């Protein structure tokens, strides 16, 4: 992506991107790509050490800002924490990448784990996209990317 494309991309969305599940996997890879484009990136996950390491890498390599939010999105309080910590910044892109799955027979699985999976995979993307989406609509720009399996 050349500099003009980067500028146009950032102008279409806004200065900050929020990436959930940024501690590892697809979320981490997308956070790096967004930093490369020039976004300031809010890194959300449960592994604070991994988030700090990624934040340092993005800031050093791409000269953009990062904000670290250690939050467990299986809990309503984790989603509130994300919304509170981002209240003062203009979020133009939400990447809802946090998620996990279970395997095997449902009745053999732990019910609490199944409920946490629904919170992370369904409730959290709904809560965050609703809140950020309202602001994006009022600014008439922004985007939301859902990652799922």
């Amino acid at each position: 992506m050349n500099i003009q494309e980067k500028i146009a991309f950032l102008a279409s969305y806004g200065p900050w991107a929020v990436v959930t599940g940024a501690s590892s996997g697809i979320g981490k890879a997308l956070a790096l790509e967004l930093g490369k484009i020039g976004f300031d990136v809010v890194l959300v996950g449960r592994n604070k050490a991994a988030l700090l390491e990624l934040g340092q890498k993005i800031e050093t390599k791409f000269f953009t800002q990062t904000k670290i939010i250690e939050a467990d999105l299986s809990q309503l309080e984790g989603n509130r924490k994300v919304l509170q910590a981002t209240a003062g910044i203009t979020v133009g892109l939400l990447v809802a990448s946090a998620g996990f799955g279970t395997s095997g027979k449902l009745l053999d699985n732990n019910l609490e784990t199944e409920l946490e999976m629904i919170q992370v995979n369904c409730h959290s993307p709904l809560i965050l996209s609703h809140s950020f989406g309202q602001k994006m609509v009022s600014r008439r720009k922004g985007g939301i990317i859902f990652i799922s399996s």
Side-chain angles (χ1 to χ4, degrees):
M1 186 177 277
N2 65 40
I3 191 71
Q4 290 84 9
E5 291 170 327
K6 288 180 180 183
I7 291 169
F9 196 81
L10 287 169
S12 296
Y13 294 98
W16 283 89
V18 172
V19 180
T20 67
S23 302
S24 63
I26 294 170
K28 179 178 179 179
L30 288 172
L32 283 165
E33 287 301 312
L34 292 170
K36 185 177 180 179
I37 291 169
F39 277 96
D40 295 320
V41 187
V42 178
L43 305 169
V44 180
R46 293 179 297 165
N47 185 333
K48 188 173 184 178
L51 295 173
L52 289 168
E53 182 180 331
L54 178 60
Q56 182 66 36
K57 184 175 183 177
I58 290 170
E59 289 179 4
T60 303
K61 194 169 183 178
F62 305 120
F63 305 103
T64 63
Q65 298 178 74
T66 61
K67 184 174 185 68
I68 306 301
I69 304 174
E70 181 184 12
D72 182 352
L73 299 182
S74 72
Q75 305 298 313
L76 185 57
E77 186 54 39
N79 290 283
R80 286 187 186 130
K81 187 175 183 181
V82 172
L83 295 174
Q84 289 170 352
T86 57
I89 62 176
T90 303
V91 174
L93 186 63
L94 168 64
V95 179
S97 180
F100 73 95
T102 59
S103 61
K105 296 178 181 178
L106 174 66
L107 298 180
D108 292 339
N109 292 342
N110 177 282
L111 179 59
E112 190 63 34
T113 302
E114 296 293 324
L115 291 170
E116 287 177 357
M117 181 177 63
I118 290 171
Q119 291 291 343
V120 173
N121 296 355
C122 301
H123 289 167
S124 179
L126 173 63
I127 291 166
L128 297 178
S129 63
H130 189 268
S131 180
F132 290 125
Q134 287 180 330
K135 295 172 186 172
M136 291 172 190
V137 167
S138 71
R139 285 193 316 273
R140 300 182 58 101
K141 67 178 179 176
I144 299 172
I145 299 171
F146 294 104
I147 306 297
S148 68
S149 56

